[in-house]
Amino acid sequence: MPSAELRDSVRPGTRSPDHPAEPLRTLDGLFSRAARRHPRAVAVREGPYTLSYGKADTLSAQLATALLGTEVQLGDPVVVHCADHRQALVAQLAVMKAGGVCVPVPRDLSPGQTRRIAAVSGAETVLCGRATREAWDHAGCRRRLLLDDPELWKRLGARSVDRALPRSAPAEPAYLLTAEDAGDRSSGHLVDHRAWHLAMAARSEQIGPAGRAVAVSEHPVGPAALSAMWWAFGSGSTLLAQPGGLVAGLDGTVAVFESAEYTHVLDTLARELRPPRPRMVVLVGAPCGPEVVARHVEILPETALRAEFAPGGSVLPWAVSMYRSGQSTPIGGSPVVGAAPGVRLSVRGVLGEDLRAGQAGEVCARGRTLPFDVIGDHSAPGGGGTLLRSGFSGRRNPDGGVELTGPARRTPPGERLVDR
């Protein structure tokens, strides 16, 4: 069963399992629609291996049926900890089809991290592979399904798919995105299907659809990989997974990186005689400093750059900055960002008061394209319309932009930030 805090945060059901509401507005419904239209199209290409839309949809339905058989209930958290993107896609789709909440975790975890993730989520089931199973030996999760075990798929293939699938709904949580603060405490952001749909649709409206492929160099289920995959699948295109770095074949595609990773990517590109020329680079996560923008323009002058500020281990952007080819680049100073569609940014004082332009405080946000609740962080407010805290200080400019100036002075643990 989920932790009490997660159980209290999950919204009351808006549908019965036998009559799913608006399935095409869920993430798994979006994928299934693409699978029905183009079953042989490649959903994931990872090195020499591919996984088609149709195959991924079929395998995930079989795995979702197995999850129901292990008593995964509506709203239950399920950890996804996979070593490759194909496994990770099938696992995430299965959890959603079963009406569960995906808890994606990065590949390399310490025992302490797995215990904290298990504790904050209350997850009892882990979908993993042989390379990642040992991380959960002492985390307290009762069930582990090895997705690279051929015997598992033989058993699943012999069973009929549960007719109650899919059990997902737009207003129900799709993901619990976990993060750790400096004190080794874990918290999680709950994101529903609808918020993810709206955020990815807003990105496509602003810069166009993903195109034929979206490339990532990150290992499975990191922020860049999650952001890239759902944008790609919403456009019916391919997730081009290249863990460990860029290789040939990126010309004309879109590449998605975590902001902190992109400095190293630029170092690699600078050493190439003919670096790949992606159509666009999208950065997610931490603020993108002016020096990174200037270096991008120097090395990839014809490639547009979109920087999405998504703090705290999140994926959905709070703020967006665009830099197109030929545009003058900022020199020095702190990053200045504007609110993403559907988001309201504010700068708050230590008591939660909304500060005027020019006053320094913590950058906060709320909006329909952001997580709807936070669990495990007792200094953060909960409930509907959650005011989210970025961990960054800043000040609002007279023109409405927000200048990010560094780490925020945090409210002491246990003291709540009051929304005034």
Side-chain angles (χ1 to χ4, degrees), residues 294-309:
R295 191 135 192 263
H296 165 88
V297 171
E298 176 188 356
I299 297 171
L300 297 174
E302 299 178 0
T303 299
L305 176 67
R306 177 183 172 91
E308 298 183 347
F309 174 52

Side-chain angles (χ1 to χ4, degrees), residues 203-223:
R203 180 192 280 174
S204 293
E205 287 175 5
Q206 289 183 323
I207 61 176
R212 64 181 177 87
V214 181
V216 291
S217 63
E218 185 178 63
H219 291 292
V221 303

Side-chain angles (χ1 to χ4, degrees), residues 45-50 240-243:
R45 183 181 301 278
E46 190 165 13
Y49 305 104
T50 62
L240 183 60
Q242 301 172 337

